[in-house]
Amino acid sequence: AYTPWWRRFCPRGFNAVCTLQTTRWSHNHPTWTFWSVPFFGKWLRRSYKDETIPPRADMEEIPQNHVRVTDLSTDEDLINLAIWEDGGTKQWCKFDLPDPTEFEAVLSAEGKVCLKDCHDMPEDERFYPEGIPKVFFTACHAVEPEVSERFIDRLKKASHAGRLPPPIHFKGHFYESIEELRKHHPQLKCII
């Protein structure tokens, strides 16, 4: 997603390696603990006070590197700029799946093996060259109540029957924990 402030983190252009971008673009479904209150407080203050952020020491002194916080068009823009600006590197594995139909993978699994709809989240060359694990905790875009209800009913029946696999999926297999996943894929950077 190109935004006017993108060049602040990608000084060589949109198609080049964004050397100052510290995580993959995050969709704004944030979760946090009390440890992040100072971070969110700082960025909320910057928004309320209509602050302009000057270039950091590792940035060129050009107009595009001066960012007025209230000019950011979405909360998603703000959270990404804030994370990169502060050098954040932690990022969740994809736990808020794009659509309830993603749960077909869980419902059709046999043990820890995925049999249907087993794709991972798309890779990116820099942060996740092999793809991104899915964690079957929640789904967004649940805009058709009947579809959601059908999946919830099926998940409930499978759970009662003891047929649900563990919640973490990557490369056609389900894993119980991040530790188990990392034994098989130690290069993954996301957290759960």
Side-chain angles (χ1 to χ4, degrees):
Y2 177 78
T3 62
W5 52 268
W6 192 271
R7 288 192 70 101
R8 181 178 178 90
F9 300 97
C10 303
R12 287 188 227 113
F14 186 67
N15 292 323
V17 172
C18 298
T19 55
L20 303 176
Q21 177 186 355
T22 58
T23 62
R24 178 184 167 113
W25 181 267
S26 293
H27 291 105
N28 201 17
H29 305 137
T31 60
W32 56 84
T33 67
F34 67 91
W35 294 106
S36 64
V37 170
F39 169 80
F40 282 106
K42 174 174 70 173
W43 286 95
L44 199 58
R45 183 207 72 228
R46 285 181 164 173
S47 182
Y48 286 151
K49 291 183 80 176
D50 193 17
E51 292 183 19
T52 297
I53 305 166
R56 297 185 324 207
D58 58 351
M59 294 177 174
E60 195 176 350
E61 176 61 53
I62 57 174
Q64 298 95 299
N65 285 342
H66 292 263
V67 177
R68 185 177 172 197
V69 177
T70 56
D71 284 346
L72 299 173
S73 59
T74 69
D75 54 346
E76 196 168 285
D77 284 353
L78 177 59
I79 198 73
N80 280 284
L81 178 127
I83 289 168
W84 301 344
E85 188 68 23
D86 285 4
T89 57
K90 291 182 181 177
Q91 189 165 38
W92 291 116
C93 297
K94 185 65 173 163
F95 71 89
D96 192 17
L97 301 177
D99 193 87
T101 59
E102 297 275 346
F103 280 83
E104 195 61 56
V106 170
L107 291 164
S108 63
E110 284 188 18
K112 290 186 171 186
V113 177
C114 185
L115 300 176
K116 183 178 177 186
D117 297 328
C118 303
H119 58 280
D120 301 316
M121 296 305 294
E123 69 279 344
D124 73 42
E125 293 175 17
R126 182 166 172 208
F127 295 106
Y128 297 97
E130 294 183 33
I132 301 171
K134 290 181 183 176
V135 183
F136 287 87
F137 287 169
T138 67
C140 62
H141 193 67
V143 296
E144 297 180 45
E146 305 80 24
V147 172
S148 295
E149 183 179 30
R150 280 196 303 273
F151 275 98
I152 291 168
D153 288 344
R154 290 175 64 201
L155 287 163
K156 188 175 177 180
K157 286 177 188 170
S159 177
H160 288 310
R163 290 192 327 262
L164 289 180
I168 305 166
H169 173 266
F170 192 59
K171 301 295 179 203
H173 295 279
F174 289 94
Y175 300 92
E176 298 281 349
S177 65
I178 190 69
E179 293 80 17
E180 183 184 3
L181 174 64
R182 288 223 172 99
K183 281 181 189 174
H184 298 275
H185 303 280
Q187 77 288 357
L188 288 173
K189 298 177 184 178
C190 62
I191 61 174
I192 300 172

